[in-house]
Amino acid sequence: MSIYGSNVFNDAALKERLPKAIYKALNKTIAEGRSLDPAIADVVANAMKDWAIEKGATHFTHWFQPMTGITAEKHDAFISPTADGKAIMEFSGKELIKGEPDASSFPSGGLRATFEARGYTAWDCTSPAFVKDGSLCIPTAFCSYTGEALDKKTPLLRSMEALSKQALRVLKALGNTTTNKVITTVGPEQEYFLIDKKLFEQRKDLIFAGRTLFGAKPPKGQEMEDHYFGSLKERISAYMKEIDEELWKLGVSAKTKHNEVAPAQHELAPIFTTTNIATDHNQLTMDTMKKVALRHGLVCLLHEKPFAGINGSGKHNNWSMGTDDGMNLLDPGNTPHDNQQFLLFLCAVIKAVDEYADLLRMSAANPGNDHRLGANEAPPAIISIFLGEQLQDILEQIEKGGATSSKTGGLMEIGVTTLPALPKDATDRNRTSPFAFTGNKFEFRMVPSSGSIAAPNYILNTIVAEILDEVASRLEKAQDVNAEVKAFLTEVATKHKKVVFNGNGYSDEWVVEAEKRGLPNIKTTVEATKALIAEKNLAVMEKHAVLSRVEMESRYEIELENYIKTINIESLTMIEMAKRQILPAVIKFATNLAASINTIKATGIAADLSAQTELLTEVSALAGDLKKKIAALEAATDKASNAHGDSYAQASLFRFDVFEKMGALREVADTLETLVDKDVWPMPTYAELLFNI
Ligand code: ADP
Ligand code: MG
């Protein structure tokens, strides 16, 4: 594994290249989360530069995560001209610590007036620098002249501090004297589709929108379930091998790979790490996946729903809290019922998720995910928690007065004597829950495949920090800590059991039941954005200094703006495809049919022309309908894009008028696709896209 981390300026590289005293000082700064001494920064920068040049780098860039959800980089050469007409390679501590990219074209949601275009990037020394494509990339936070966060990393780092602070208070109140820091960890499982590049290039919808806007169901979809964990095809295998190698070089511990449920769908999971590094790594993973695909004549689709009627993609955000002395705070141990500390942290998460379900839901919302959540495949738009039989049982015992036992799994009978009896997990898996306890972590499964995992994690960290704050304050004041813990657990078991649901989250009954329980079911991104400006949410984000009110409001604006832009692009793409590709093809087909009818008639033979005439009648009627639906979509899009002023109202027009009309247009076009001669259909079909590799 000599390639692992070979392009990362990691701890080993730091140790090797820095004078001992500087190495120690830097580590102390990182551990204590303080800002870096400029004198140290100069030495670190120089060592970093020498290392990067050896790795073939000529440039450096502050690598940051603006609110677009992707990463941004502006490359500067190390080169610095000297008076004698030559040049030296230079990189100062100042350049390492702080950058000043012109930030005017990144979304700020009103945070930065355009005349104050200046944005600053600041080195996040907790995430190591790396060399990628000939540049030394320095992970940085990005903020405005006045200090507001213009990115996704800053609130994430702030939220990690908030959670650590409150969790430590709880641990101390429980008598812990050894832990100094609590770290939130994440391992995101990334789903994606691979399709042939030549076919991709023939579809404007894939090019402009990242998803198909038209496309009739293929004769075979995923019903045979023959793809899931199926053996990998050679071309895919070669791709996955290269992805692993590229990621390993960058220190991303890509670990598992397998086929997913849908044809052409796959998954990659890394080994978990701290939430900020995991977020950086997930960005690198998405980037690398797309880039390497092109080398294999493939295109990697990260969209949440590239194909209607076929499973979409998500990201399973496996989240937990660990201590610097090696404890996983969500590890139940063998007898969870008497593991007070575990139950306390578990119940804090349950309460947080119940009280801030709307905010958590928002953190997973994007226009692509609207096609998944609640659409009978992905978890529903309702936030609920799966605990499994064992923990559910303990929670019920607590509610009734106290937990005294833990159900065990026993042995699994395989029924073959030569196979050993396998110990059964105390809890089976549940794949339909949006927020599932999976052994020693929670798996937040709503997260969109194309998006950054920063927001889901900074929201999760913050809302859990809030409940831990409440718990800590109670325990610190309590005469009898044990009694207070019990009181809190009982309260959660009683008041928040409504968010716990172990059944089938995909069923219609659950939607009805959830409504009875008073759980929110927020179906669209547009409606979800309201959570960003709800008073209780503004208050909690502000209280823990993760996002101020203005920072939250700016994110509200950006989410709406992004929604508006996305649907506008999709709609314009549909109109273009329908007008200039589909309708002409249909007319050509109808004309051919008419010509055939005339030609046959001209022979004077009394042939049966009913097939041609009926088809011609049907296709012509649908063509007329198609034309009408195009006109309706054009009018709606026009109206919505001219509705300036209130972003929420404008986004609503796009969702409840434009988006609906897109669906209506698609329906007619997809019916036509099943009738029109394959040879005149102007784009590759689902069958070709999905079963070609
Ligand atoms: P699956 O859900 O497919 O069974 P695994 O159990 O292998 O997958 O775990 C899925 C992801 O969860 C992996 O990325 C793994 O590293 C991550 N994970 C495991 N433990 C933790 C933890 N304590 N904190 C965060 N993520 C974790
Ligand atoms: Mg999983």
Side-chain angles (χ1 to χ4, degrees):
M1 279 308 283
S2 61
I3 62 163
Y4 188 80
S6 60
N7 284 348
V8 184
F9 198 59
N10 52 18
D11 191 57
L14 282 165
K15 205 173 205 164
E16 185 192 317
R17 289 170 183 262
L18 291 178
K20 236 188 190 142
I22 301 278
Y23 172 75
K24 267 198 175 152
L26 178 67
N27 259 350
K28 198 160 150 38
T29 309
I30 295 173
E32 293 171 7
R34 285 181 299 112
S35 56
L36 198 61
D37 176 341
I40 296 176
D42 270 332
V43 184
V44 178
N46 201 49
M48 220 185 241
K49 177 206 69 187
D50 289 344
W51 169 84
I53 289 172
E54 283 168 32
K55 296 281 168 196
T58 50
H59 289 64
F60 69 92
T61 176
H62 275 199
W63 183 76
F64 58 103
Q65 302 172 22
M67 292 185 280
T68 49
I70 53 174
T71 53
E73 24 193 278
K74 177 186 162 234
H75 301 258
D76 282 304
F78 284 126
I79 212 152
S80 165
T82 52
D84 57 1
K86 294 194 177 132
I88 50 162
M89 300 293 251
E90 243 180 9
F91 183 50
S92 68
K94 218 175 116 217
E95 287 170 306
L96 166 65
I97 297 181
K98 197 173 119 188
E100 256 185 66
D102 176 0
S104 53
S105 44
F106 292 110
S108 80
L111 267 184
R112 188 199 47 237
T114 35
F115 57 86
E116 280 172 14
R118 218 180 286 212
Y120 293 92
T121 49
W123 181 32
D124 166 18
C125 52
T126 61
S127 181
F130 52 91
V131 167
K132 182 171 75 88
D133 307 327
S135 277
L136 169 68
C137 300
I138 302 147
T140 55
F142 179 46
C143 57
S144 75
Y145 183 67
T146 42
E148 278 102 6
L150 292 174
D151 68 346
K152 294 182 178 254
K153 184 190 263 284
T154 307
L156 182 60
L157 292 171
R158 292 172 179 166
S159 74
M160 290 169 76
E161 277 183 32
L163 186 132
S164 179
K165 186 170 151 200
Q166 303 308 336
L168 265 183
R169 284 178 61 209
V170 172
L171 289 173
K172 295 259 170 312
L174 290 176
N176 176 315
T177 53
T178 53
T179 300
N180 294 308
K181 197 172 166 185
V182 173
I183 307 133
T184 50
T185 50
V186 158
E189 300 165 64
Q190 173 79 47
E191 290 180 327
Y192 61 100
F193 278 85
L194 285 176
I195 61 165
D196 192 281
K197 183 162 172 281
K198 284 194 214 77
L199 299 177
F200 169 89
E201 282 161 354
Q202 293 168 47
R203 296 211 44 143
K204 291 204 163 59
D205 47 5
L206 287 176
I207 294 172
F208 294 126
R211 74 174 178 105
T212 55
L213 297 165
F214 296 102
K217 266 211 177 87
K220 178 183 170 183
Q222 63 199 46
E223 50 284 274
M224 302 296 284
E225 298 184 334
D226 50 359
H227 185 71
Y228 193 50
F229 279 50
S231 65
L232 298 173
K233 302 214 172 81
E234 250 172 68
R235 197 165 163 203
I236 305 293
S237 262
Y239 167 79
M240 287 180 172
K241 184 163 177 279
E242 196 171 333
I243 285 283
D244 280 349
E245 282 166 10
E246 291 285 329
L247 289 176
W248 289 340
K249 278 191 232 163
L250 293 169
V252 180
S253 54
K255 188 168 171 275
T256 59
K257 50 185 182 186
H258 61 76
N259 288 349
E260 262 301 327
V261 179
Q265 192 187 28
H266 311 278
E267 184 191 281
L268 182 149
I271 296 172
F272 72 96
T273 172
T274 64
T275 40
N276 71 317
I277 294 181
T279 304
D280 287 357
H281 282 181
N282 184 246
Q283 295 290 354
L284 283 175
T285 301
M286 292 194 286
D287 222 43
T288 308
M289 285 166 100
K290 285 199 245 179
K291 216 166 48 191
V292 172
L294 299 177
R295 293 183 206 151
H296 293 256
L298 298 164
V299 172
C300 171
L301 301 177
L302 291 175
H303 195 281
E304 289 71 24
K305 193 74 178 176
F307 306 100
I310 303 283
N311 259 23
S313 300
K315 229 170 325 224
H316 289 179
N317 191 82
N318 294 274
W319 176 92
S320 190
M321 297 170 271
T323 65
D324 61 344
D325 53 344
M327 261 191 295
N328 177 352
L329 296 173
L330 290 178
D331 187 348
N334 290 332
T335 50
H337 69 277
D338 61 15
N339 187 343
Q340 219 188 21
Q341 179 183 300
F342 162 71
L343 290 175
L344 199 51
F345 280 94
L346 177 82
C347 284
V349 177
I350 296 174
K351 181 170 180 183
V353 170
D354 190 26
E355 290 192 344
Y356 296 96
D358 58 339
L359 201 48
L360 206 54
R361 163 71 181 91
M362 176 59 225
S363 77
N366 78 6
N369 230 8
D370 280 7
H371 299 278
R372 286 177 70 231
L373 303 182
N376 210 26
E377 71 169 70
I382 307 158
I383 299 261
S384 68
I385 301 176
F386 170 81
L387 284 183
E389 212 183 316
Q390 189 188 46
L391 294 182
Q392 167 95 20
D393 173 61
I394 291 174
L395 217 62
E396 280 163 14
Q397 292 184 48
I398 291 173
E399 193 190 353
K400 288 186 195 127
T404 53
S405 66
S406 298
K407 285 189 176 182
T408 52
L411 290 181
M412 192 156 53
E413 289 294 332
I414 307 181
V416 179
T417 46
T418 51
L419 291 174
L422 298 173
K424 233 173 24 179
D425 282 328
T427 286
D428 194 10
R429 283 169 174 267
N430 171 311
R431 298 207 160 266
T432 63
S433 175
F435 202 86
F437 185 77
T438 46
N440 57 6
K441 60 191 190 289
F442 274 104
E443 186 167 341
F444 184 24
R445 300 188 178 131
M446 266 188 181
V447 178
S449 52
S450 71
S452 157
I453 56 167
N457 287 298
Y458 69 67
I459 296 296
L460 207 48
N461 292 348
T462 311
I463 62 179
V464 174
E466 166 64 10
I467 308 303
L468 292 175
D469 181 5
E470 177 204 324
V471 172
S473 303
R474 284 171 63 167
L475 299 187
E476 284 161 3
K477 271 194 272 170
Q479 303 287 345
D480 180 346
V481 171
N482 281 336
E484 194 59 38
V485 169
K486 202 174 164 204
F488 175 75
L489 298 181
T490 313
E491 240 173 76
V492 173
T494 319
K495 283 198 207 144
H496 298 285
K497 68 176 176 195
K498 69 176 200 294
V499 76
V500 177
F501 176 64
N502 282 342
N504 178 7
Y506 293 3
S507 69
D508 295 334
E509 294 81 42
W510 170 232
V511 177
V512 178
E513 163 72 15
E515 199 181 340
K516 265 195 228 144
R517 295 191 189 186
L519 301 179
N521 182 2
I522 307 165
K523 294 203 177 92
T524 70
T525 294
V526 179
E527 293 155 292
T529 57
K530 284 250 159 96
L532 291 169
I533 48 166
E535 181 50 37
K536 76 173 172 54
N537 298 337
L538 290 171
V540 75
M541 299 305 283
E542 186 179 42
K543 179 176 163 196
H544 296 279
V546 174
L547 286 172
S548 68
R549 280 165 191 262
V550 270
E551 286 170 335
M552 281 288 271
E553 276 152 18
S554 79
R555 275 142 188 91
Y556 167 75
E557 282 299 327
I558 286 169
E559 292 297 340
L560 289 171
E561 216 174 90
N562 177 51
Y563 187 86
I564 291 166
K565 284 184 188 158
T566 305
I567 305 299
N568 192 41
I569 291 170
E570 289 190 351
S571 167
L572 294 177
T573 307
M574 274 194 109
I575 293 168
E576 156 97 12
M577 289 171 78
K579 271 168 106 167
R580 303 191 50 207
Q581 293 186 282
I582 297 174
L583 194 55
V586 172
I587 291 172
K588 194 166 165 191
F589 177 63
T591 310
N592 286 346
L593 276 176
S596 145
I597 294 169
N598 284 338
T599 314
I600 296 172
K601 268 191 188 155
T603 64
I605 298 169
D608 178 1
L609 288 169
S610 62
Q612 290 96 318
T613 18
E614 275 168 33
L615 193 53
L616 181 57
T617 314
E618 192 180 354
V619 166
S620 302
L622 284 166
D625 199 15
L626 188 76
K627 184 81 181 50
K628 279 195 206 95
K629 298 279 182 341
I630 296 172
L633 180 58
E634 278 184 307
T637 310
D638 231 34
K639 183 172 159 218
S641 45
N642 287 312
H644 299 298
D646 177 39
S647 327
Y648 191 87
Q650 191 180 15
S652 301
L653 272 179
F654 272 100
R655 173 59 187 86
F656 298 107
D657 191 17
V658 176
F659 184 77
E660 297 297 324
K661 295 202 161 72
M662 283 165 59
L665 171 59
R666 176 176 185 148
E667 212 180 300
V668 185
D670 289 358
T671 309
L672 277 164
E673 188 189 318
T674 64
L675 297 172
V676 170
D677 183 351
K678 190 176 147 293
D679 292 337
V680 300
W681 197 251
M683 63 197 81
T685 61
Y686 269 27
E688 289 167 287
L689 290 168
L690 291 165
F691 295 97
N692 184 268
I693 301 166

